Structure formats: structure tokens, C-alpha cells
Amino acid sequence: MKGKPLLLFLVKFLFAITAILIFWVPVWLPIPSISERYISFITYTAVDIAEPLVGLPDVNITTGGGFPGIIPFIALILATPKIKWIKRIKSIVAGSILLLFFHLSIIVLQIAFPSYQIGFFSFYAIFGRIALPLILWIWMSWDVFKQVIVIEGLAEERKR
């Protein structure tokens, strides 16, 4: 992607991530935000899963706040050109579920192994918020990436 297509992608991405954040954390509404609901769901579900395994430990759960990797992942999928809407919706749902399960797994591991809590959270902060959304985006948009790589490869070959 060069020039105008790259700029258009970046503008779409910034617009999409801004719109998602406006709905994700609406501080001006008196109702609980999606962020608060997401954190509550993750926390209570992780405790429900871990409690039968290790009992209810006395540990502070670090959820990472309300900005999970789901937000940039959805924005990347929405901004990617040449994806049919059905595939786009399927990708958003599947990727969001995978990211949710990954986040949930990290919280369960924090409860089960409290001495490694900071390490698990650091791993989530880097991999779960940055790398995993990018990997899922590339994987779920591979048809588009493959076309761009082939077209740019042919253009480079013709220049020679």
C-alpha cells in the first residue's frame, strides 16, 4: 500500500478507533460503560473458573483496565479495504472471542499463580494488547495482504 491507499487506510483506522472508544467508554452517560461491563465480566468469570481449581485466593486481580486488544483489532478490520461485509463481521466476532478468551486466560492464570501475576500481566500488556490483535488482523485479512504483496512484487519486478 502506497500513497493514497495508505493514507485512506490510516484515516479510516483513526476514525474507527475513535468511534469505538466513544461507545466503549461513554463517561457522559449515567449507565455503566462497555468497558466497565467487560472488566466485570472478565473478573467474575475468571474467579468462577479459578475458584474450583485453587480456591479463592487473596490476590488483587490486574485486568489491565478497559482498553483491551479488541478495540484496535476491530478498528483494523473495519479500516481494511476489499473485505466483504459478511467476512468482516465474521472476522470481528471470531477475533473478539479469541481476544476475550486470551484475556480471560491471563486473569485465570494470575489467580492460579499469584506469585507470577506481574509477569502474566506484562505478557498480556505486550502480547494481548499489541501483538495478538495485529496477528489476528493479518491472519483474518490475509486475502487482502496477499493481493497487496503480489501486486507490489510484480511492480518491483517490472521496474527491473
Side-chain angles (χ1 to χ4, degrees):
M1 268 195 280
K2 292 183 181 177
K4 282 187 183 179
L6 180 58
L7 182 62
L8 182 61
F9 170 78
L10 290 174
V11 168
K12 283 181 171 182
F13 173 74
L14 290 174
F15 177 75
I17 203 162
T18 302
I20 293 167
L21 283 172
I22 287 170
F23 289 108
W24 191 266
V25 189
V27 293
W28 59 86
L29 295 175
I31 60 173
S33 69
I34 296 172
S35 175
E36 291 168 343
R37 289 179 182 171
Y38 177 83
I39 291 171
S40 293
F41 172 77
I42 288 288
T43 304
Y44 290 119
T45 305
V47 168
D48 288 344
I49 292 170
E51 188 175 12
L53 302 172
V54 294
L56 191 57
D58 186 23
V59 63
N60 290 328
I61 299 170
T62 308
T63 60
F67 190 77
I70 293 171
I71 295 169
F73 169 73
I74 292 172
L76 286 166
I77 293 290
L78 290 174
T80 304
K82 299 179 183 175
I83 298 178
K84 294 181 182 174
W85 276 101
I86 295 294
K87 182 173 182 191
R88 198 178 299 260
I89 291 168
K90 287 179 181 179
S91 296
I92 288 171
V93 170
S96 296
I97 290 170
L98 288 170
L99 287 163
L100 177 99
F101 278 122
F102 179 76
H103 194 177
L104 184 61
S105 300
I106 292 295
I107 305 300
V108 169
L109 288 170
Q110 285 181 18
I111 295 169
F113 303 102
S115 59
Y116 298 104
Q117 182 178 17
I118 302 229
F120 286 126
F121 177 71
S122 298
F123 178 72
Y124 169 73
I126 295 168
F127 188 74
R129 287 186 175 173
I130 301 167
L132 188 56
L134 287 173
I135 291 167
L136 287 173
W137 170 57
I138 291 169
W139 177 46
M140 294 186 175
S141 305
W142 184 246
D143 295 340
V144 173
F145 281 101
K146 189 168 56 176
Q147 289 175 356
V148 169
I149 291 168
V150 168
I151 290 169
E152 287 187 4
L154 289 173
E156 288 294 323
E157 196 172 291
R158 287 183 180 157
K159 283 183 180 178
R160 293 180 197 182

